[in-house]
Amino acid sequence: MSCQVTVLYFARSAELVGLRSESVCVPQRITSLQLWEEIVKIHPRLAVIRDQVVFAVRQEYVLLGDQLLVLQTGDEVAIIPPISGG
């Protein structure tokens, strides 16, 4: 079973993708790493930030790995790369 989630892109991820947000259809039950891989299939340029990205699902930080997510249509997934500043 699949669902539509809203992917939000911030900072470098938005630059790489050329979007601030989009709707993406993904499996409802998916690991956080598989979800990242689904997004990278759509936007391969994101692969360069994989080791630096912070991932958030429903406004909660998630490590990329084997953590099982149960998504619902309308959930927000944020791709947040490191933000430099001073």
Side-chain angles (χ1 to χ4, degrees):
M1 188 168 193
S2 62
C3 61
Q4 286 283 128
V5 298
T6 300
V7 182
L8 307 173
Y9 300 100
F10 295 92
R12 180 95 171 109
S13 67
E15 293 171 17
L16 290 168
V17 171
L19 298 169
R20 302 296 267 157
S21 68
E22 69 181 329
S23 289
V24 176
C25 185
V26 295
Q28 189 175 21
R29 297 177 62 82
I30 190 169
T31 68
S32 55
L33 182 57
Q34 289 169 330
L35 178 57
W36 169 253
E37 290 169 349
E38 288 292 319
I39 295 167
V40 170
K41 280 182 199 173
I42 299 166
H43 301 289
R45 295 180 66 196
L46 287 174
V48 300
I49 61 169
R50 192 251 184 253
D51 292 333
Q52 302 132 7
V53 75
V54 175
F55 207 50
V57 177
R58 293 183 297 269
Q59 300 180 358
E60 303 234 354
Y61 291 116
V62 175
L63 294 175
L64 296 184
D66 294 332
Q67 180 179 348
L68 181 64
L69 305 172
V70 180
L71 301 172
Q72 298 178 23
T73 293
D75 281 349
E76 288 184 341
V77 176
I79 308 299
I80 310 167
I83 300 171
S84 61

